[in-house]
Amino acid sequence: MKSLKKIVALAAVAALSISALTGCQKQKPIDNKEIVMTVGDKKVELGMANFFVRYQQSMMEQQMEMYQSYGYAMEWDMEVEKGKTYEESMKEDTLKSLQQLYVLDAHAADYKVALTDDETAKIEEVAKAFAKANKDEVKEKVSAEYAAEYLRLVTISEKMYDAVKASHTPEVKDEEAAQKIMYYVKYDTVKQDSSTGQTSELSDDEVKKLKKDAKALLDGAKANGNLEAYAKEQKLTATKAAFSVDRSELDEKLVKAADKLELNGFTDVIEGESAIYVAQVTSLLDKDATEAEKKEIIEERKDEFYKETVEKWTKDTKIKVNDDVWAKISLEGLKISAVEQKKEEDKKEDTTKESTDKAE
């Protein structure tokens, strides 16, 4: 299990600094100053919620267009689960994310988390650039005045992610992280069509042939005493992998078979979920792999602590949503897309090219 991904404020700043929102189609205007919800003592304006939704919309519509190019139907009014459209699901998730940002902001002082002068200056700079990059017709639908608040919240959340995790030091015993080492050779029992990308299982005869090849490799490796070396002689690759029976991303049948072996022991020919394996255990306790696993477990537990802490804070915070106001944010009739702004050197290059084209 990998650690949770945190919101990277610098990435958000970079994205906003080169992007503008373009809107099309008609939509009813909203009153930005209406209160859409309260989070603790904080009153959140509809304009802030709308900006947050639109920014998420711009990112998601890029993904939707990519899926559509592959022939998948992706529309906001699609039902993603019984009684709930893609738009409703997206708005629900976005509202929860915005609430969490304000909850984290409310606890920032407890961890001595605040923006530096440089961060504040950068946010103001980016917000001004963002406002300048958008046309008035878009600003009427998505007010750029909330860009700075969005960036402030995201930057605080990133700092809080680090601060809350740093406040927790989980204990991991050596036996929890103990890692063995194996070398294995893999024979895939599925194939992929290069033109369509679809996979299919090999025929029984093809699988039978692979098992025969694997058995021949196993017999040769046993005689040699070293699977890695013998596989190399046979122009095959033996993959090195750290593993434990409780924590492994390898095929379960392979791991269980290898875990029973003594040092330098060989498995039988193992038929897994989508491949046939032959393996040899070369270490019953690898120091480096165990230390790396311990660090990963610590990171996972820190992530879990952060998640549980934020969930508790959110549960303990009085949050009230004005549903009638929230309902005024609709994705219908408005398409938002992030447009990359050209750098000055790119603009000069385009101008030069245009002049050249006209001359020709």
Side-chain angles (χ1 to χ4, degrees):
M1 178 182 178
K2 302 300 181 184
S3 62
L4 295 172
K5 289 185 176 179
K6 62 181 177 179
I7 303 174
V8 183
L10 291 179
V13 170
L16 276 175
S17 66
I18 62 168
S19 299
L21 295 181
T22 61
C24 64
Q25 302 181 36
K26 295 181 179 180
Q27 191 187 42
K28 293 180 181 179
I30 63 173
D31 180 358
N32 286 328
K33 299 303 179 182
E34 276 195 277
I35 302 304
V36 69
M37 67 177 171
T38 55
V39 182
D41 297 329
K42 178 67 179 180
K43 294 181 178 180
V44 182
E45 294 179 356
L46 181 58
M48 181 62 220
N50 185 53
F51 179 89
F52 193 65
V53 169
R54 299 308 175 191
Y55 192 70
Q56 299 303 315
Q57 180 186 353
S58 72
M59 300 298 103
M60 294 182 72
E61 285 190 342
Q62 290 181 50
Q63 296 180 13
M64 290 168 69
E65 289 175 4
M66 180 185 70
Y67 282 119
Q68 288 168 349
S69 69
Y70 286 106
Y72 295 98
M74 292 290 289
E75 300 293 341
W76 287 117
D77 58 1
M78 282 178 54
E79 192 173 69
V80 291
E81 56 183 275
K82 190 172 182 180
K84 185 180 292 185
T85 64
Y86 190 24
E87 174 181 346
E88 290 168 340
S89 177
M90 178 269 204
K91 281 187 61 182
E92 184 179 293
D93 291 342
T94 302
L95 185 62
K96 289 179 181 178
S97 295
L98 186 57
Q99 290 169 356
Q100 180 177 301
L101 288 175
Y102 279 109
V103 167
L104 286 166
D105 187 43
H107 287 271
D110 299 338
Y111 290 81
K112 298 181 180 179
V113 166
L115 298 184
T116 65
D117 291 341
D118 287 344
E119 288 167 339
T120 300
K122 180 62 178 176
I123 285 173
E124 290 175 355
E125 175 189 337
V126 171
K128 287 178 182 178
F130 179 79
K132 186 177 180 181
N134 285 278
K135 297 179 181 179
D136 290 340
E137 62 190 52
V138 177
K139 292 177 187 176
E140 291 176 2
K141 301 179 178 69
V142 186
S143 178
E145 70 177 278
Y146 296 100
E149 174 66 355
Y150 166 78
L151 289 173
R152 185 190 73 80
L153 288 170
V154 172
T155 305
I156 290 294
S157 75
E158 180 189 41
K159 289 176 169 246
M160 284 294 285
Y161 177 86
D162 291 332
V164 174
K165 285 178 60 178
S167 70
H168 181 56
T169 307
E171 181 183 354
V172 179
K173 297 178 181 178
D174 289 343
E175 53 266 31
E176 293 180 82
Q179 294 287 292
K180 299 179 181 180
I181 297 292
M182 75 162 89
Y183 280 87
Y184 67 89
V185 177
K186 178 182 179 182
Y187 299 83
D188 290 317
T189 56
V190 295
K191 56 185 175 182
Q192 185 176 50
D193 188 306
S194 59
S195 59
T196 65
Q198 294 183 333
T199 59
S200 59
E201 296 182 356
L202 299 182
S203 67
D204 290 343
D205 287 342
E206 289 173 318
V207 172
K208 187 175 180 180
K209 171 66 167 56
L210 289 182
K211 287 181 179 179
K212 185 177 179 180
D213 292 343
K215 182 63 168 64
L217 176 69
L218 177 61
D219 292 342
K222 285 181 177 179
N224 179 284
N226 187 307
L227 176 62
E228 181 192 17
Y230 185 73
K232 191 174 183 179
E233 289 178 12
Q234 304 304 307
K235 309 299 182 185
L236 297 172
T237 300
T239 302
K240 181 181 180 181
F243 73 98
S244 69
V245 71
D246 296 321
R247 292 173 56 86
S248 179
E249 296 179 359
L250 299 173
D251 188 285
E252 185 179 355
K253 291 182 180 179
L254 171 63
V255 172
K256 285 184 176 180
D259 190 60
K260 297 176 183 178
L261 299 176
E262 299 293 333
L263 183 62
N264 295 322
F266 290 87
T267 64
D268 294 326
V269 174
I270 306 297
E271 186 170 2
E273 289 296 320
S274 59
I276 291 167
Y277 300 91
V278 170
Q280 180 184 25
V281 172
T282 59
S283 174
L284 297 179
L285 181 61
D286 185 88
K287 182 178 179 181
D288 292 338
T290 298
E291 189 60 31
E293 185 68 9
K294 184 181 291 188
K295 289 179 180 179
E296 184 166 336
I297 294 174
I298 289 173
E299 191 66 17
E300 288 176 10
R301 291 181 182 175
K302 280 176 172 283
D303 276 332
E304 188 61 29
F305 174 77
Y306 170 82
K307 180 181 177 181
E308 291 174 354
T309 300
V310 176
E311 286 177 351
K312 183 179 183 305
W313 286 344
T314 304
K315 185 178 180 180
D316 293 344
T317 301
K318 185 177 181 180
I319 298 174
K320 183 179 180 181
V321 178
N322 187 331
D323 293 325
D324 291 337
V325 176
W326 174 240
K328 294 180 182 181
I329 299 177
S330 172
L331 307 189
E332 184 179 354
L334 178 66
K335 180 177 176 60
I336 298 293
S337 58
V339 180
E340 184 173 337
Q341 301 300 299
K342 292 186 177 182
K343 297 178 182 178
E344 287 302 317
E345 54 266 32
D346 294 334
K347 291 180 181 178
K348 290 178 182 178
E349 184 178 335
D350 286 351
T351 303
T352 302
K353 185 178 184 302
E354 185 178 347
S355 300
T356 304
D357 290 343
K358 288 180 178 179
E360 291 176 351

